[in-house]
Amino acid sequence: MERAVTVVILSLVFLASQISCQEAILHVSNGNTEREYCIVHNHSWTPLSQSLEAAVQYPLVNMTSTMLCNNATVFPDVKGKALVVMRGGCDFSQKALLAQSLGATALLLASNKTLITPSANDSEYAKVHIPLALMRYRDFLEAQKVFGENMEVKLYAPPQSKLDPSIAVMLLIAIVTVALGGFWSGACERDRLNGGADGGEGGGNKADSGELFLYSPLKVVIFVAMMCGMLVLMYFFYNVLVYVIIAIFCLASASALFSCLDAVMEKIGCGTLSFSVRNWNLSVRSIILASVCITIAVIWGVYRNEDRWIWILQDLLGIAFCLNFMKTISLSNFKICVILLTLLLVYDVFFVFITPFFTKNGVSIMVQVALGPDASGEKLPVVMRVPRFSAWAQNLCGMQFSILGYGDIIVPGLLVAYCSRFDVWINSRKKIYFVSCCIAYLLGMIMTFAVMLLSGMGQPALLYLVPFTLITSAVVAGCRGEMRQFWAGTTYEVLDSSREPLLPEGRTDRSIDGEKC
């Protein structure tokens, strides 16, 4: 079951995209009260001012009783005023030209449907000289309740900054999660080896400790092939499988959060009280932590579509999931790391860059699965989300997020975790492999965001993270003369913990995970 969950979650790797839409702001006032609402416009029509101060204020005339598709109706005097009419019945350009002929200075279309960017034939744009935008009909009704019929409006579209502070927050989340996950994996490996040296149960194999490990190239290939199959199934049966993924995420993330919090409590020696019930030895700490973790997962599951605040819980559960994944899944040697990361790099690039040539709408399978077929429907909980702080106009229309897939933390994180364990095996007091791989991951993430900002497109992060981390790890091993041991992944007994031991020739290697290295 745990392996199946691993395939399902990890099959949805990286996506860091930002939805680009021409959102703007409708500022409504009556001299005493002010409100702002979302509108959607098109730069090809008459452009809007970029600031509230520069925008021209117009009286608003309510004509939502008509669709403004012909001039047979008798209209009130609208010269020098903004109009609001209902969407539909005829083309956007036809409405705009009729409003313009009546002397209106701006046209708002109240819509009961999803807002789209208003468009027309290229030849029509030059004929229209007044601003045109769509707004939600429910927003207009709300404005009527607040202001009545005496509304003054301004339309403006503040510029959207490409460099948003959310990118720095996302970068911090990624590097801290990878570093903590790698450190945790190394600490568990040290405890396991120390337990074995002391003759305790801690020296048992990883299967006994609940850890899973990949040591066979064939298993890695099968693993990646199953991920590809899962992603394709998600593409064709999204509306059904999305709820399966949500249920799996709730269970897996609650378990992962419990594991993380329990490890912290164990480290600080908090809450060791226990009691027995019908031969069951129960810990008070475990009961409290389990209740908290389940509650958090249930709250996320119930309110998962409340974008204004639920992203905090999703990121918390996501961080716990990634940490537990890196601690639980072990790659036995650098050879397996190279095979797995290379295959996942090909997987990522193929589903982001190649699949658009095979889909009907020209959008990659990765994008459609990650964002969902319906922008207002269910989303897969496989990404870290941080609101775009500078996107004020866009957030009025709907929260805009910078997102990073869990796979872009977990996949390189598995290599970081291997480097951390290798530092333990060779008793590296400076943790040279772990630190070097973390720095390489940070540089790879910076490169990813830099290319994304320069190109204006979401990037498959593994395209940069895999080369950075693999090459750095190989260079460090080569410079230290430890490539053979690093490639084979053999553990070494540490005779003197006060120094980094050299690896003498002819030493008998120990086996790991049931495989002779």
Side-chain angles (χ1 to χ4, degrees), residues 214-259:
L214 292 175
Y215 57 85
S216 167
L218 178 60
K219 287 186 176 181
V220 172
V221 173
I222 295 175
F223 182 74
V224 176
M226 292 173 65
M227 289 168 53
C228 295
M230 185 63 203
L231 190 61
V232 173
L233 287 175
M234 285 296 307
Y235 175 71
F236 287 106
F237 304 103
Y238 184 91
N239 292 332
V240 175
L241 293 180
V242 65
Y243 295 103
V244 177
I245 300 296
I246 289 172
I248 291 175
F249 176 76
C250 288
L251 295 174
S253 61
S255 174
L257 185 60
F258 174 86
S259 179

Side-chain angles (χ1 to χ4, degrees), residues 199-210:
E201 295 181 0
N205 61 42
K206 295 188 178 187
D208 295 336
S209 63

Side-chain angles (χ1 to χ4, degrees), residues 400-418:
Q400 302 295 301
F401 294 91
S402 294
I403 63 177
L404 181 69
Y406 295 163
D408 299 316
I409 296 175
I410 290 173
V411 175
L414 293 175
L415 174 58
V416 173
Y418 171 73

